[in-house]
Every structure is written in structure tokens, then in C-alpha cells.
Amino acid sequence: MPLYPIDIEKRLKALQRQARYEAEGAPYVVYALLDPGEPGLQFAEGPFNGIPFYVGQSCEIERRLRRHFRKSQKLNPDSQMVHRHIAGLFAIGRLPRLAILETAQTRSQSLMAELRWGQSLMRDGYELANTSPDIGRIMGVEELTTWLDFRRSSMLASEAAREGVVIVHTCTCGHVNRWIDPADYAACWPKRLRVSKIANRTQQCPGCGEDCEWWLDDRELLASMPGPSYVNTCSSLALRRA
């Protein structure tokens, strides 16, 4: 039978307490949501006390869990597969369980761990409600690097500053490459400022006025490179508020 809202709220708070305890204050958490199965079903000893149906990562795990539960109670035509799956569990009287799979210190580590766990579970035969097709593909080093840069481009300036990620602008006309440090913006611009927005607002080449191509790299690596092939351009470049 369907669950009462109070039952759902109690489970949400219990999962939030579990996450808070098991994450031990780590900046990032990789987690799995589990289907408890039929009443009385016993699972073999291992990392899961249920059937994994979703793998995720977050720097705000308690808020993420609340979002999962809230969106599952208010489905719409654009609802994600994971929220439809949770809603299906609610409809038959099942409450999702949680497994904290791993903790990480940086966004990059967290993204890679999420991908690794997702691919591992799919190889083990679990059907995941993750919408990204990348979780089911085998990628070479170059493709994996491109995938990671794409995912990292949506991280906050504060996250990029924490792990030393910088934006590199490459001019297609051959002018000197520039690198922008998100740390220059993290302290004085809106909390939700993302790397992609900084890159888009600073990608005009000062030499020719054309828009540069941009990608992400490591601050310490670029700072140690000799010669003028890369120039550090700090926040003196105008970044207008949207």
C-alpha cells in the first residue's frame, strides 16, 4: 500500500543522519540509493542491504537526499528516471535505503568515483536509473579526460579554487594562451558562480578580439611551465554580473 507523507519524512531524516555520520564531514560523498525489496527479503553480507538502482555524488549530500525525495513526490513530464523510480517504490510501500560508497576531497575525485562505481554496478548486472549514457561506456584516456572536463566545467568557482583547477584559453589565431584562475573570483563573486560562466565571460582574446577555445588544467602545472607560452590573467579582466 502507498506510504503516508510522515513515513517518507521519517525515512528521509534517517538517511540524512546516516549520511552525516558515515561521511564524517568529507567535502564530497559518492552514494547509492537502494531498493529494499520485498518485505522480509534478506541480502547476503556485503556493501549493500538492498538492490542498487542509482549512483550519485554530491558536496551537499543531505540536501541532495531531500531533493530526491521531494521531486519523487511531485512528478512532472520532465522528471528524471531516479525520481520516477523512487516514486514507484513509494507507491508500493517501499522506502529507499542508502549506501555511502566513498568520500572524496575534490570534485574531480568525486566524479571519477561516481563513474567507477556506476560502471562496476552495471557490470554486476544492476539496472541503474542514472540518465547519463557515459556510465555504461568504456572510455579511453583521451575520451575520459574530455568527459571529466565537461563535468568539471559546471563546478563552482570555490570548488575549482579548492582543487587547483584553472581555465586555459587557446586563441585560434595563434596569440599566446592565457589561463584564468577561478580562485580570483571565488571570494568576491556570487556563491553559485560556475567555472563555465567565468570561462565564457573571459574567453575574448585581448590580441584579436576573437573568442578563444577553453579547457581546464592544473594551476601548479601551468605555473611551473617556463617561457611565455601561458600567461596568467587574473581578475582584472571584467566579469560583468549577469
Side-chain angles (χ1 to χ4, degrees):
M1 59 180 295
L3 297 165
Y4 291 107
I6 190 171
D7 298 319
I8 296 173
E9 185 66 20
K10 285 181 179 179
R11 173 52 58 90
L12 170 62
K13 290 182 178 179
L15 297 186
Q16 289 176 320
R17 288 194 298 270
Q18 176 189 344
R20 191 183 313 129
Y21 174 75
E22 295 185 18
E24 298 180 346
Y28 297 88
V29 175
V30 182
Y31 65 96
L33 296 178
L34 315 173
D35 180 342
E38 297 289 343
L41 179 64
Q42 299 294 318
F43 293 93
E45 185 176 346
F48 304 121
N49 63 341
I51 304 166
F53 65 85
Y54 179 80
V55 174
Q57 63 84 35
S58 179
C59 61
E60 298 175 324
I61 181 62
E62 293 182 55
R63 184 176 297 180
R64 175 63 60 81
L65 291 170
R66 178 168 292 279
R67 189 178 305 126
H68 282 318
F69 274 52
R70 290 293 177 265
K71 290 191 174 183
S72 299
Q73 293 172 280
K74 299 179 180 179
L75 295 181
N76 60 61
D78 297 323
S79 293
Q80 297 179 4
M81 288 176 58
V82 60
H83 301 135
R84 295 183 183 279
H85 192 110
I86 295 172
L89 293 180
F90 290 162
I92 59 176
R94 296 183 190 175
L95 289 164
R97 294 172 180 170
L98 173 71
I100 300 299
L101 304 176
E102 196 170 324
T103 59
Q105 295 300 309
T106 69
R107 171 86 168 191
S108 297
Q109 293 170 355
S110 184
L111 289 169
M112 291 297 294
E114 176 192 35
L115 180 66
R116 184 176 66 253
W117 274 101
Q119 292 183 336
S120 175
L121 290 174
M122 291 191 71
R123 286 195 301 270
D124 290 342
Y126 293 106
E127 295 184 9
L128 300 182
N130 294 69
T131 55
S132 172
D134 299 317
I135 204 166
R137 293 193 300 118
I138 297 176
M139 292 182 276
V141 175
E142 184 174 346
E143 189 178 10
L144 184 60
T145 300
T146 301
W147 172 86
L148 183 59
D149 276 355
F150 174 75
R151 293 293 305 274
R152 292 195 303 175
S153 67
S154 65
M155 68 181 171
L156 301 175
S158 56
E159 293 179 297
R162 186 182 304 123
E163 64 176 284
V165 170
V166 294
I167 304 160
V168 179
H169 290 295
T170 303
C171 179
T172 56
C173 297
H175 291 90
V176 67
N177 293 343
R178 300 171 294 121
W179 57 277
I180 308 292
D181 194 338
D184 293 326
Y185 301 97
C188 56
W189 286 86
K191 182 179 179 181
R192 308 305 295 183
L193 179 65
R194 298 192 180 277
V195 166
S196 57
K197 187 168 186 177
I198 299 173
N200 291 333
R201 294 301 182 90
T202 60
Q203 70 180 134
Q204 188 179 64
C205 176
C208 64
E210 297 294 325
D211 283 347
C212 297
E213 297 178 353
W214 64 270
W215 45 284
L216 302 178
D217 212 322
D218 180 78
R219 181 196 304 126
E220 293 185 3
L221 178 63
L222 291 186
S224 65
M225 293 182 66
S229 56
Y230 290 90
V231 175
N232 180 14
T233 307
C234 63
S235 55
S236 57
L237 280 173
L239 178 63
R240 296 184 297 276
R241 295 179 187 272

